[in-house]
Amino acid sequence: MSEKNVFQKIMAGEIPADIVYEDEECLAFRDIAPQAPTHILIIPRKAIRSVAELEDEDGPLIAHLWKVIREVAEQSGLGEGYRVVVNCGRDGGQEVDHLHYHLLGGRSLQWPPG
Ligand code: 5GP
């Protein structure tokens, strides 16, 4: 079995994280290198490497993740707006091979991204 990536280690409690929400299906924790005043990562517990590997059966899980994103955004005081980013693959800037949503907010964000 290949070595756990950093998010799998966080889920296993092997490295610490500032967890803001968790349930049976997912986990939300603060990014270690925040790119905005609020920068939270939302990840499924299911081992999905990237958005490119989603399957039809993951539909309910993805709907649940978006519900959690909305709730975490609300709890984080992001009523003025926020951005959700999903990097996919090397050209997409994905560094950790476990599906994750970046929730960014707390300042006026620029567009387009780089
Ligand atoms: P990606 O580039 O794969 O879309 O995003 C990976 C994110 O994981 C980056 O924003 C990076 O700062 C974050 N990250 C990497 N290692 C750790 C860690 O050990 N703890 C936390 N909380 N975030 C991490």
Side-chain angles (χ1 to χ4, degrees):
M1 189 177 137
S2 57
E3 198 185 322
K4 285 180 191 150
N5 65 44
V6 66
F7 293 172
Q8 290 167 330
K9 288 179 180 170
I10 287 172
M11 281 191 281
E14 293 172 9
I15 60 172
D18 185 355
I19 295 170
V20 298
Y21 176 87
E22 63 180 317
D23 63 26
E24 286 181 359
E25 292 185 88
C26 69
L27 197 64
F29 54 91
R30 295 191 189 282
D31 197 292
I32 204 169
Q35 301 302 309
T38 297
H39 186 170
I40 293 168
L41 301 170
I42 296 91
I43 69 171
R45 291 191 189 275
K46 182 179 177 184
I48 301 171
R49 289 174 63 83
S50 79
V51 72
E53 299 200 2
L54 282 170
E55 298 174 348
D56 288 352
E57 67 179 28
D58 295 319
L61 171 61
I62 296 307
H64 178 69
L65 291 173
W66 279 106
K67 178 168 177 271
V68 169
I69 289 167
R70 290 196 300 278
E71 291 176 355
V72 169
E74 193 176 325
Q75 287 161 16
S76 302
L78 302 183
E80 295 300 313
Y82 52 86
R83 183 172 295 163
V84 179
V85 173
V86 182
N87 296 326
C88 179
R90 294 289 84 89
D91 278 0
Q94 183 176 5
E95 292 179 357
V96 180
D97 289 331
H98 184 101
L99 178 65
H100 52 283
Y101 294 74
H102 295 257
L103 171 63
L104 298 148
R107 65 172 169 81
S108 181
L109 299 164
Q110 304 301 303
W111 190 263

